[in-house]
Amino acid sequence: MVVNVLKPIFAEAASKLVNTTSQFPGTVLIKKEHWVVDAKSLLGVLALSLQPGQEVELTSDAGEEVFQALLDLNIFEKK
């Protein structure tokens, strides 16, 4: 799923994102340009340095529920 970033993802937002994705089994990935990180990794998420207006792709083998949970954080909006 391709999404736009709504707010900067630093410490607090990154922690919420990681905690949310960690509740689901399977792999959740965030792709930005040539970078691909595990959304369950705080260091990986922070390394992306996501800023408002950027476009990223979320992929998961954990089902559609994980996407809705991420959208509910109000960090991303579906494109």
Side-chain angles (χ1 to χ4, degrees):
M1 173 171 66
V2 178
V3 296
N4 287 323
V5 179
L6 294 177
K7 61 183 181 180
I9 300 181
F10 295 122
E12 184 179 348
S15 179
K16 287 180 183 179
L17 190 152
V18 169
N19 288 337
T20 299
T21 57
S22 293
Q23 295 174 7
F24 295 91
T27 304
V28 182
L29 300 175
I30 303 173
K31 298 177 185 179
K32 173 189 164 189
E33 299 167 2
H34 64 279
W35 297 94
V36 179
V37 301
D38 184 349
K40 295 180 181 182
S41 164
L42 184 59
L43 289 177
V45 172
L46 290 172
L48 289 178
S49 186
L50 297 174
Q51 298 294 320
Q54 291 180 327
E55 185 178 288
V56 296
E57 182 180 353
L58 305 174
T59 60
S60 173
D61 59 6
E64 294 296 316
E65 298 86 17
V66 70
F67 297 130
Q68 188 57 52
L70 290 172
L71 291 174
D72 289 345
L73 293 174
N74 295 317
I75 296 172
F76 302 111
E77 71 176 351
K78 195 171 182 176
K79 187 160 181 176

